[in-house]
């Protein structure tokens, strides 16, 4: 999983729900996705959806 927004370099932790991806796994933060990109990937034109999170193992 990519750890930074490709647009603003915001840190994106794997266990949080703040990242959005397209089918090519281009990765953006919630703010960039909603406000600037309008849920469309600027790289491939695909739809950006919320990335599944990873659960930390004990």
């Amino acid at each position: 999983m990519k750890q930074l927004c490709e647009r603003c370099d915001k840190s994106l932790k794997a266990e949080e729900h703040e990242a959005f991806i397209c089918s090519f796994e281009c990765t953006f933060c919630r703010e960039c996705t909603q406000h600037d990109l309008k849920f469309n990937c600027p790289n491939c034109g695909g739809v950006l959806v919320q990335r599944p999170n990873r659960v930390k193992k004990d």
Side-chain angles (χ1 to χ4, degrees):
M1 289 186 163
K2 295 178 185 172
Q3 299 296 313
L4 297 173
C5 174
E6 293 181 32
R7 186 171 177 87
C8 71
D9 289 330
K10 178 180 179 180
S11 177
L12 300 168
K13 296 179 182 176
E15 64 274 5
E16 295 178 354
H17 293 284
E18 292 300 313
F20 286 75
I21 61 172
C22 69
S23 62
F24 291 100
E25 296 186 22
C26 299
T27 305
F28 302 94
C29 70
R30 178 180 302 279
E31 291 79 20
C32 288
T33 297
Q34 291 177 335
H35 302 292
D36 299 331
L37 305 175
K38 308 292 187 216
F39 294 92
N40 292 305
C41 179
N43 302 325
C44 69
V47 175
L48 294 169
V49 297
Q50 191 170 27
R51 179 176 75 184
N53 68 327
R54 288 190 182 164
V55 178
K56 286 186 177 182
K57 293 184 178 183
D58 296 328

